[in-house]
Amino acid sequence: LVEKYGFDGIFLDRIRFPSIVTGIENLFCCFCEYCEKKAGESGTDLNRVKEKIDRLLFQVKNMSESDLSEAGKMLGMSEEIKSPYFDAELLSFYQFREESVCSLVKEIYDLLHKEGMEVGLDLFSPSLSRIVSQNYSMLSKYGDWIKSMSYCFGRGPASLPLEVGSIVENINRLNSGLSDNALASFVREWFGTDVCVLWRNEKKISPAKSILAKEIEKAKNKFGVEIPIYPGFEAVNLPGI
């Protein structure tokens, strides 16, 4: 294709693991024979990881509202996780996932750069990227620019209204004792901004601009990304536009 059409570059999408939209259980994959072998080579026993995941989901099912903050750290792969169920072995498993994605992107990047082509990366919004094993810091070494899928109005894959809503719905499905107010506070703390206006599908330009700016700032300052980052915009009807 490169030789036939003379492209200037390639834009890589779907370079990730499943999101929470497919169910909270699918955040903890993959356990195919290939992954089991590759993880074992790096010292990660996926059979033990499965046991840890079962314990972690049990914790979510039985957590109180005061524990929700810790759940956000676990889902966001925070460095401040204090849960006894999310130990070094699970963190190693998530590191393996991130390295798997990064290894594939590096392979493509090296191949295309030899041909003088640029590589763009289509990544989940920074607050959500770690749960699909897209590590901005790692991946930015193997791209010329990033498009952040911080979609604030649509309800398609990677959009904040769909993904945030799915986070709330999946946690509530596991633990129906958590109130809507507690879940809303949990999401605000995770993102550092009021993304609940998106979850409720309120199409308001002002908060959306603030949320978008916060997400791009997080990519640059928290993850140390130095290549250009371009915010993604959806082709949907927006108020006043």
Side-chain angles (χ1 to χ4, degrees):
L1 287 175
V2 170
E3 293 176 354
K4 183 176 180 179
Y5 295 104
F7 294 122
D8 294 323
I10 297 292
F11 185 45
L12 299 179
D13 192 6
R14 299 190 71 83
I15 42 175
R16 61 178 176 85
F17 282 84
S19 82
I20 199 167
V21 170
T22 62
I24 194 169
E25 295 84 358
N26 289 329
L27 291 181
F28 307 98
C29 67
C30 169
F31 296 97
C32 69
E33 290 184 6
Y34 177 81
C35 283
E36 187 172 351
K37 178 182 177 183
K38 294 295 289 185
E41 291 173 359
S42 65
T44 301
D45 184 342
L46 292 193
N47 287 320
R48 285 178 54 82
V49 167
K50 289 179 185 178
E51 295 174 4
K52 298 288 179 69
I53 290 171
D54 286 341
R55 292 172 62 191
L56 183 64
L57 292 175
F58 177 81
Q59 183 190 23
V60 174
K61 290 177 182 178
N62 293 278
M63 70 170 50
S64 65
E65 292 187 353
S66 62
D67 295 326
L68 269 174
S69 177
E70 206 62 38
K73 293 176 185 176
M74 288 187 284
L75 289 173
M77 303 299 113
S78 168
E79 295 81 3
E80 304 169 0
I81 299 169
K82 298 177 182 176
S83 166
Y85 298 102
F86 206 101
D87 60 9
E89 200 158 27
L90 275 181
L91 287 173
S92 175
F93 170 60
Y94 266 87
Q95 184 177 6
F96 163 71
R97 287 180 18 135
E98 291 182 345
E99 289 173 350
S100 297
V101 172
C102 194
S103 176
L104 174 62
V105 172
K106 180 183 183 302
E107 183 178 347
I108 297 171
Y109 175 84
D110 289 343
L111 178 65
L112 294 176
H113 260 226
K114 288 180 181 178
E115 301 297 326
M117 301 174 65
E118 290 193 353
V119 177
L121 307 176
D122 205 22
L123 304 183
F124 265 47
S125 200
S127 291
L128 294 169
S129 62
R130 301 296 296 276
I131 67 174
V132 295
S133 296
Q134 290 180 330
N135 186 313
Y136 269 67
S137 299
M138 294 170 62
L139 289 171
S140 63
K141 299 174 184 176
Y142 307 112
D144 296 289
W145 51 273
I146 291 171
K147 191 201 83 182
S148 169
M149 292 188 279
S150 303
Y151 306 136
C152 293
F153 295 102
R155 297 194 70 83
S159 69
L160 295 181
L162 178 64
E163 300 291 340
V164 171
S166 295
I167 290 168
V168 172
E169 290 166 8
N170 274 274
I171 292 178
N172 192 244
R173 176 172 59 85
L174 285 177
N175 189 336
S176 59
L178 301 171
S179 69
D180 287 346
N181 285 338
L183 288 168
S185 296
F186 149 71
V187 171
R188 289 191 197 100
E189 182 179 355
W190 180 352
F191 278 77
T193 186
D194 190 10
V195 291
C196 295
V197 296
L198 308 180
W199 161 33
R200 293 190 293 266
N201 203 26
E202 298 177 18
K203 290 191 174 183
K204 298 178 179 179
I205 293 294
S206 182
K209 287 169 61 179
S210 174
I211 292 166
L212 187 57
K214 189 84 173 181
E215 288 297 288
I216 300 301
E217 178 186 1
K218 185 176 293 185
K220 290 181 175 293
N221 297 336
K222 182 176 180 180
F223 298 132
V225 175
E226 296 182 356
I227 62 175
I229 303 176
Y230 303 106
F233 296 95
E234 318 94 303
V236 298
N237 290 330
L238 302 178
I241 298 179

